[in-house]
Amino acid sequence: MNYSDLCMQYVASGIDLLEKLINVHVCRFQMAAEPVNLNEFQELARLALPKMYYDFYAGGAEDEHTLKENVEAFHRITFRPRILVDVSRIDLSTTILDYKISAPIIIAPTAWHKLANPEGEVATARAAASCNTIMVLSFTSSSSIEEVAASCNAVCFYQLYVLKKRDIAATLVQRAERNGFKALVLTADAPRLGRREADIKNKMIKPQLKNLEGLLSTKVSSDTGSNLEADAREAMDASLSWKDLEWLRSITNLPILIKGILTREDAIKAVEVGVAGIIVSNHGARQLDYSPATISVLEEVVHAVKGRVPILMDGGVRRGTDVFKALALGAQAVLIGRPVVYGLAAKGEYGVRRVIEMLKDEFELTMALTGCPSVKHITRNHVRTEHERIHSML
C-alpha cells in the first residue's frame, strides 16, 4: 500500500488523519534515516525514548550552563593546519595503560543502558569490542559485571563510587578483578548528587542497580519516583577524601584512574597519591553548574601533571574535530558518554558502533587536513584557543 492509499484509508475509516500521518512520518524517520553525524543520533534517540528517559540522559544540572559550554567551548578553538605533508596513510591508533586501541576514543561510564535498549550494556560492550576500543562500565549499570564480561572480549574498566558501606566497594572491586576488568575509574566529584531539575519534574524512577542486588536496598516508589538525590545522599560517602586512596589501593592490584579533576591543584595531588591516570571531567555537566567546560581547563591539568600520568577527558565531544582539539591540548584520549546512549537508543548495538565509527572517520579526516599522519604528530601548534586569538589582537 502506498502513502496516498494509506491516507485514503484513514479518511474512510474516520481515524484522525493528522495524528496518523505524524505517526507514519516518525516511524519512517526512525526506520529509514541513517544519521550522518552525532547530533542526528540525538534526535533519533529523542523520538525513540519516553520523555522521562530522554530527559535523564540529555539533562544537566540546574540552569544547564555548563552543559551548553561543554559543547560550545570546542567551537571557540580553531585549527592551524599544515600543508604538503604526506597523509596518504593515517594511523589513528594509540595506547592507553598498555592497551592498544584503534583510535583515542573510549566509551565513558553512563547509567542504565537498558532504559535505552533491552540489551543494555551488553550491546554497548559488544560495540566497543568490534571497534577495538575500551568501555568503562558504569557503577549504575543495568547489566551486571559478570554479564558484560561474558558477552565479548572488550577491554573494560570499571567505574567505582565509594559508598558509606565500604565493604560494598570492596566486593565490587573484587568482582571486577575476577571478571577480567583492567582498571578502576574512581569518580570523585559526587559527594552528593547535583540538582537535575528535569528528573525532579519528571519524578524520575530509578531502575534497579544490577550490581548492587543483595548488597544495598534498591527499592523504588512507583508513585512518586525514587528521588535520586535523596537516595544518593543516603548511600554516598561524603567523607571520602584523598587519604582514602591509600585504602582503595590496598584492596586491589588494578590501576586506578581518578575522574572529576578540573584544577591544577587536584591534578598535582592525584599524581602525589599514585593514581595511574587522570580524567578531566565535570560529570557531563550533571553535578555543579557553572563549573568550567572540560576542554577549557585541560591544558591547566596537562601543565601541572607534566607527563607523569596519562590524561584523558570527557564532556562535549560531538565531532572528530573535537577529538583532535583535545589531543592537541594534551589529552591522550577522550571519553564519549551521551552519544553512545543516543546511538544505543536509536539503533542498538549497531547504533553504538556507528557513533564510534563516525567519530573515527571525522577524526581521520581532520588529521589528514591538518597534516598529521599519526596521533603522535598532533601537537599544540595545530590549534589556536580563544585566549590566543584575543591576545593576538591586542
Side-chain angles (χ1 to χ4, degrees), residues 156-373:
C156 289
F157 296 173
Y158 184 66
Q159 180 199 31
L160 183 69
Y161 287 89
V162 176
L163 307 183
K164 291 176 181 176
K165 296 180 179 179
R166 294 287 177 90
D167 57 326
I168 292 177
T171 298
L172 293 171
V173 167
Q174 291 165 7
R175 286 169 58 188
E177 283 192 6
R178 194 162 57 242
N179 285 277
F181 282 65
K182 305 302 183 185
L184 298 176
V185 174
L186 176 65
T187 295
D189 59 0
R192 290 174 56 177
L193 203 67
R195 182 177 174 82
R196 303 164 191 175
E197 295 179 359
D199 294 341
I200 295 170
K201 291 177 183 176
N202 292 332
K203 296 183 178 180
M204 174 67 187
I205 297 174
K206 180 180 70 176
Q208 295 292 323
L209 299 174
K210 186 70 173 180
N211 285 313
L212 296 181
E213 288 180 354
L215 300 174
L216 188 72
S217 172
T218 57
K219 190 169 79 171
V220 301
S221 168
S222 58
D223 296 325
T224 61
S226 60
N227 194 344
L228 297 178
E229 195 278 333
D231 288 353
R233 188 186 305 188
E234 182 178 340
M236 301 300 293
D237 187 354
S239 73
L240 189 71
S241 65
W242 288 107
K243 63 182 175 60
D244 294 307
L245 268 293
E246 184 178 349
W247 162 78
L248 183 56
R249 291 177 65 188
S250 74
I251 65 169
T252 184
N253 293 316
L254 294 177
I256 300 168
L257 295 89
I258 190 163
K259 178 176 179 286
I261 287 179
L262 293 171
T263 64
R264 66 180 301 276
E265 294 87 350
D266 282 344
I268 292 169
K269 189 69 176 176
V271 174
E272 289 175 351
V273 300
V275 301
I278 286 171
I279 302 176
V280 177
S281 174
N282 55 31
H283 211 107
R286 294 164 71 78
Q287 282 296 98
L288 178 63
D289 202 14
Y290 296 92
S291 59
T294 48
I295 191 65
S296 71
V297 296
L298 175 59
E299 271 198 297
E300 177 181 331
V301 174
V302 168
H303 290 158
V305 170
K306 298 177 181 177
R308 288 173 286 181
V309 298
I311 296 172
L312 291 70
M313 69 145 289
D314 66 16
V317 175
R318 298 295 183 270
R319 287 284 188 180
T321 50
D322 298 338
V323 179
F324 186 99
K325 292 171 184 179
L327 267 63
L329 293 175
Q332 273 73 53
V334 302
L335 293 86
I336 53 169
R338 288 182 177 90
V340 166
V341 175
Y342 297 149
L344 184 66
K347 293 178 179 288
E349 179 184 333
Y350 169 79
V352 178
R353 195 164 64 246
R354 284 297 300 136
V355 162
I356 298 170
E357 289 169 348
M358 277 182 184
L359 278 180
K360 287 172 64 174
D361 290 346
E362 292 177 0
F363 178 51
E364 181 180 11
L365 180 60
T366 306
M367 289 175 64
L369 295 178
T370 53
C372 296

Side-chain angles (χ1 to χ4, degrees), residues 366-394:
T366 306
M367 289 175 64
L369 295 178
T370 53
C372 296
S374 73
V375 167
K376 68 181 180 181
H377 288 93
I378 301 172
T379 70
R380 180 62 177 81
N381 287 331
H382 284 99
V383 294
R384 181 182 286 113
T385 63
E386 181 182 33
H387 172 77
E388 290 168 324
R389 291 204 310 277
I390 293 173
H391 183 75
S392 69
M393 294 185 289
L394 296 178

